[in-house]
Amino acid sequence: MRRILHVDLDAFFVSVEQALNPKLMGKPVVVGGEPSSRGVVASASYEARAYGICAGMPLKKAHRLCPGAIFLQGSFPRYRAASSRFMAILADFTPQLEPVGIDEAYLDLTGFEPVYGPTLETALRIKHRIKSELGITASIGIATSKLVAKVASDLAKPDGLLEVPPGEERLFLAPLPIAKLPCVGPKTERQLHEMGITTIGELASLPAYLLRVSFGALGEVIHRYARGIDERRVEPPQAAKSISRETTFIQDTLDTPFLKAVLRYLSERVGAELRRAGRRARCVTLKVRYADFDSITRSCTLRQSTNCDEAIFSAGVQLLERSLGQRRQLVRLIGIGVSNLTSDERQLSLLDSPIERWERLNRVIDGIRSRYGFIAIQKGQTLSLKEVFPTENGDYMLKTPSLSR
Ligand code: DCP
Ligand code: CA
């Protein structure tokens, strides 16, 4: 019998702001921007929702509904940091964790009860840790499937906990309005209303062929979900199969030293990411897009897998020289990537080799950069890329040419 949790943070962006500034607690608060601006509501506190304010609504309308509400611009890096801490708390409970978006996740706690006690108590411990470490509340649904757990967490909001006993899934769903079913969007809801269907129970009693005729493949899903049947597994994210960085130039260029300097910079970013992920790579791929938008990729396989900036760059620069030799045309974009990734195990054959010394140096540089920022250290070629400035997310951009991820 599966025990699946769906954990969703309440009014996430607003809650992060409230945790930072407790004076905002218990008040109508909207994150999205100034009420006079053209933006929309990203998140509204439950007090603001009482006035009819909801996510996606134009800020001007939200202001009309509740002129006394507090409108905040918000800060995405702050929410991303809170999200990472949230996911890290959940990961302490099980590796069977599937993050969904920024503030929700599924956990599979099947088989945990003999060791960790009732699932309901584990869920309470999760809620408690989120509250004490992040200062925000979460709602949790517990059920035998992702679908029913999600509907349950939604129903429990805010700061709630709801367990649907095994075998009672269909009974639980039956009285709820059809819009509560995750696969029923506004358009499907309208169509179903026109058919006279308003509750999930009514939906469940419709014959499958009728839903198939009206909604095609979605009809099959609706039929199963309405009966509380959902076999989808909790799937932890797969490790990346490749890592790459690329840059589009503001002005197309054929300046070879400059192209090599950018390639060096991109190789360092790829190398740093490889080391951060604890991986090595055997395949290096160069990408070049010419002024006429024609793109080429050229790859080579290394004799030994690596996580070294120097090895990535030296393979990349050989590919670049060959490509430029074959086709002298202005370049619009270059990128470098690595693939064929393996886990970062120490290779005995490398002991005390020049490569090992490079790796040690890379690790020292990573340490300094993690404290002082990526551009705290620039070597030889990348010094020519002078106009580097930090972005909001702690990354760095080259001013001319511009750097894209
Ligand atoms: N978000 C957004 N724009 C939207 C919807 C959401 O920017 N149209 C952002 C802000 C939310 C966050 O994503 O805080 C999470 O979305 P949710 O749908 O989970 O909404 P909340 O967490 O704000 O509220 P709830 O308590 O209903 O989960
Ligand atoms: Ca949420």
Side-chain angles (χ1 to χ4, degrees):
M1 183 85 58
R2 295 199 300 165
R3 294 279 76 194
I4 313 269
L5 266 63
H6 181 253
V7 188
D8 189 320
L9 300 176
D10 301 320
F12 178 47
F13 288 7
V14 168
S15 302
V16 172
E17 300 297 338
Q18 288 172 326
L20 275 172
N21 178 5
K23 282 193 198 127
L24 299 172
M25 291 281 191
K27 295 188 178 154
V29 178
V30 169
V31 170
E34 289 297 317
S36 56
S37 69
R38 284 154 45 99
V40 297
V41 174
S43 180
S45 69
Y46 281 77
E47 291 78 7
R49 292 180 205 197
Y51 291 85
I53 297 174
C54 63
M57 173 182 282
L59 289 160
K60 286 194 179 105
K61 183 171 178 194
H63 187 244
R64 269 201 309 279
L65 289 171
C66 180
I70 299 160
F71 288 82
L72 303 172
Q73 188 66 49
S75 145
F76 200 73
R78 213 152 47 220
Y79 309 140
R80 199 168 31 208
S83 174
S84 304
R85 290 174 64 202
F86 164 59
M87 297 297 175
I89 292 173
L90 299 182
D92 278 348
F93 288 82
T94 175
Q96 287 304 310
L97 165 68
E98 179 182 338
V100 186
I102 194 166
D103 79 329
E104 56 181 299
Y106 292 102
L107 280 74
D108 189 340
L109 298 185
T110 307
F112 272 48
E113 295 209 332
V115 182
Y116 297 101
T119 311
L120 196 72
E121 283 171 23
T122 306
L124 278 171
R125 283 202 295 277
I126 293 175
K127 272 171 68 70
H128 184 258
R129 273 200 61 189
I130 294 169
K131 180 75 190 149
S132 62
E133 290 172 36
L134 299 181
I136 60 190
T137 59
S139 296
I140 303 186
I142 309 171
T144 52
S145 67
K146 285 164 109 174
L147 165 84
V148 180
K150 178 158 174 81
V151 175
S153 74
D154 186 36
L155 220 61
K157 274 180 170 298
D159 199 11
L161 176 57
L162 183 57
E163 181 171 28
V164 179
E168 292 184 20
E169 295 80 6
R170 195 167 164 175
L171 210 63
F172 161 72
L173 294 174
L176 302 176
I178 49 175
K180 291 278 175 205
L181 214 54
C183 59
V184 174
K187 195 173 145 212
T188 312
E189 185 189 12
R190 264 196 311 278
Q191 264 174 285
L192 284 165
H193 279 168
E194 280 163 18
M195 293 161 70
I197 307 293
T198 58
T199 67
I200 298 178
E202 288 161 0
L203 198 53
S205 60
L206 285 184
Y209 79 87
L210 194 66
L211 288 165
R212 236 184 347 256
V213 169
S214 307
F215 301 102
L218 177 66
E220 301 267 353
V221 178
I222 295 177
H223 184 67
R224 272 186 283 117
Y225 282 13
R227 289 151 187 260
I229 300 167
D230 171 24
E231 306 291 344
R232 288 174 305 154
R233 283 210 280 234
V234 173
E235 286 179 21
Q238 296 290 315
K241 288 205 167 67
S242 64
I243 294 170
S244 63
R245 290 288 183 277
E246 62 185 43
T247 269
T248 302
F249 307 128
I250 288 172
Q251 263 188 330
D252 302 339
T253 177
L254 240 182
D255 178 343
T256 309
F258 169 74
L259 287 172
K260 287 184 181 173
V262 175
L263 193 65
R264 167 90 219 180
Y265 173 82
L266 296 173
S267 302
E268 289 178 13
R269 303 243 48 152
V270 168
E273 180 65 23
L274 258 180
R275 294 186 292 277
R276 198 192 59 76
R279 329 271 335 254
R280 287 170 188 274
R282 275 207 69 190
C283 184
V284 175
T285 301
L286 171 82
K287 177 171 161 187
V288 178
R289 181 168 296 148
Y290 294 99
D292 62 2
F293 276 85
D294 191 23
S295 299
I296 57 154
T297 56
R298 296 286 179 266
S299 300
C300 67
T301 301
L302 306 174
R303 244 176 309 168
Q304 248 161 349
S305 62
T306 188
N307 60 15
C308 248
D309 300 346
E310 287 70 20
I312 299 165
F313 174 65
S314 103
V317 89
Q318 282 179 39
L319 295 168
L320 180 69
E321 279 170 352
R322 214 175 305 151
S323 305
L324 294 180
Q326 285 165 358
R327 182 166 169 180
R328 289 204 67 76
Q329 196 187 341
L330 287 169
V331 173
R332 177 182 163 76
L333 167 156
I334 62 168
I336 188 150
V338 292
S339 56
N340 208 338
L341 306 186
T342 55
S343 62
D344 187 9
E345 273 146 24
R346 206 174 151 78
Q347 294 173 327
L348 286 176
S349 60
L350 290 185
L351 278 181
D352 268 338
S353 67
I355 296 178
E356 207 215 1
R357 288 195 285 281
W358 276 121
E359 291 194 359
R360 268 205 305 269
L361 179 64
N362 280 173
R363 276 194 291 273
V364 171
I365 291 172
D366 287 344
I368 296 171
R369 281 177 165 164
S370 72
R371 289 174 61 187
Y372 301 107
F374 200 86
I375 50 162
I377 294 187
Q378 293 211 71
K379 291 170 284 184
Q381 277 176 318
T382 54
L383 277 174
S384 64
L385 307 174
K386 283 241 165 52
E387 288 195 84
V388 179
F389 65 94
T391 65
E392 224 188 332
N393 65 8
D395 207 338
Y396 291 88
M397 300 270 282
L398 305 182
K399 201 164 188 184
T400 29
S402 71
L403 196 99
S404 66
R405 276 174 64 89

